[in-house]
Amino acid sequence: MANGGVNYQDGALFCAQGDLDTPGGLVYMEAKSPYKAMTLLDNFHGRLFNSPNDVVVHSNRSIWLTDPIYGYEQGFKPEPKLPSQVYRFDPQTGDVRVVADGFGRPNGICFSPDEKTVYTTDTDWIHGDGTVDDTRASTIYAFTVSSISGSQFPTAKRVFAMADTGIPDGIKYDTTGNVYSGCGDGVSVWSAGGVLIGKIRIPGGVANFCFGRRGELFLLNETKFWVVGLRADVQGALLDNKLVDR
């Protein structure tokens, strides 16, 4: 079962959550027929991932992913062998490291346009069995991306924003410094300073989404696919960094 994904090389990189018999992991799929797919990573030093949820690629080619335990709670994955964590994978060397922990359910992940900050959502408010608890996190955290002894680390964890309706699921940045996240009532938009500046209200809320060309947003919830038109000059940071034609 696929979840979050991102443009990668000449194709797409998906978070495959797996099932009771098949490990979850990072799967690369070619963009052209016959759409060959290959698993790049499915474990942390021999311990299988839980149910990888979202992924983003840094300009240095390192791959960052979140791995909550939703698959186990929803009954399609075995008992977890790892905590709910964020990982950094270097496909050039094979190095895989835990770079952030202490989450309830780490979910969406993205970098700021200058890649000095990485954002991760914690959707612990709702568990895989559908139970909710208003005292659990429904929060976007920001980390400073630091270089220590030649390695990248997310440091200086801080609260960026809390969703006022449901959970902040998928998360993206635009080139002007605004942060977007799919929430229980649609897409919430915050300034780079964490101020809620607007909402795109969608019946049933929004889980994952992505920017398209020319100010488009493509939104997904549990049952529907939506296309939203923004100003033509609004560009997603991921597309801009990849020099995609606007």
Side-chain angles (χ1 to χ4, degrees), residues 44-99:
F44 175 71
H45 298 289
R47 296 164 66 182
L48 293 176
F49 288 136
N50 299 317
S51 43
N53 192 285
D54 201 10
V55 58
V56 68
V57 180
H58 192 278
S59 62
N60 64 11
R61 301 183 183 179
S62 63
I63 300 169
W64 300 52
L65 69 145
T66 61
D67 185 42
I69 62 170
Y70 279 124
Y72 170 69
E73 293 177 324
Q74 294 171 350
F76 65 84
K77 289 298 299 291
E79 185 174 346
K81 302 298 183 183
L82 290 162
S84 294
Q85 302 180 131
V86 177
Y87 298 85
R88 180 189 183 276
F89 172 54
D90 186 342
Q92 300 173 91
T93 65
D95 175 64
V96 56
R97 293 188 291 115
V98 178
V99 290

